[in-house]
Amino acid sequence: MRRTFYQWLMTQRDPVTHDAVKNFANGAFYDQSFPKQSKDFDEISRYLEENGGYLQSMDIFDEAWQQYLAAEE
């Protein structure tokens, strides 16, 4: 059974390394409203566009989503 995007994203957290996806994961960890049960690109993308102030660019989400899909194949 495939993990949710949030479950996968939490495996990317790292307070020491500061690449874009890890920074995204660290920010999402503190976001109480993040759609944690979602596996849907459009739902998560829409949420981040409206509420993801900690995300520097939506390109980072796109990169993370591709890594998520590769990891969950």
Side-chain angles (χ1 to χ4, degrees):
M1 187 154 130
R2 193 167 96 178
R3 294 178 287 185
T4 67
F5 177 74
Y6 182 81
Q7 289 170 323
W8 172 83
L9 188 62
M10 291 302 98
T11 68
Q12 304 304 303
R13 288 184 64 223
D14 184 346
V16 177
T17 306
H18 294 290
D19 74 27
V21 172
K22 293 190 183 324
N23 287 339
F24 171 29
N26 293 335
F29 176 75
Y30 293 105
D31 182 351
Q32 298 293 321
S33 300
F34 194 95
K36 294 177 173 79
Q37 301 306 313
S38 183
K39 298 177 185 177
D40 182 70
F41 177 87
D42 291 329
E43 177 184 5
I44 298 168
S45 178
R46 195 172 25 250
Y47 173 81
L48 289 169
E49 286 174 0
E50 295 172 2
N51 304 293
Y54 51 86
L55 187 60
Q56 299 296 321
S57 165
M58 287 302 290
D59 291 338
I60 298 166
F61 168 64
D62 293 337
E63 177 185 339
W65 186 263
Q66 290 306 313
Q67 291 177 21
Y68 164 65
L69 293 178
E72 295 302 307
E73 283 186 347

